[in-house]
Amino acid sequence: MAGSSHGHTPAAWTGVIIAFIGFTVSGAFMVMAVPAGFWGGLVIVVLGGVVGWIMRAMGLGQPKSNHPVHQTAQKREPASVES
């Protein structure tokens, strides 16, 4: 995936950072045995996905034309072997 710039956009970074913060909040409140804080953290995780989706719709994500077309086994060209 590194060759296709997968996830290297402002939308992806923002969504993942928000989701990570929500995961951290949820984990901390789970250890402290506060159910409301745990569920609040999970709401933040979902919010990260929504923010990433909205930013992608605004044009801050990777355009669909940049996604590589995957080759199937029948259409794959044989690898060249150098001696």
Side-chain angles (χ1 to χ4, degrees):
M1 289 195 193
S4 65
S5 296
H6 178 76
H8 296 276
T9 64
W13 278 100
T14 304
V16 168
I17 289 171
I18 293 171
F20 181 73
I21 291 169
F23 173 77
T24 305
V25 167
S26 186
F29 279 110
M30 182 173 61
V31 171
M32 292 186 289
V34 180
F38 169 79
W39 290 109
L42 290 183
V43 168
I44 296 171
V45 170
V46 172
L47 180 66
V50 171
V51 167
W53 180 74
I54 290 171
M55 288 180 70
R56 181 174 176 238
M58 292 171 48
L60 296 172
Q62 184 174 2
K64 288 191 178 206
S65 62
N66 286 356
H67 292 277
V69 177
H70 297 287
Q71 296 177 346
T72 61
Q74 292 84 16
K75 296 180 183 179
R76 191 173 297 156
E77 295 181 19
S80 62
V81 179
E82 297 181 23
S83 299

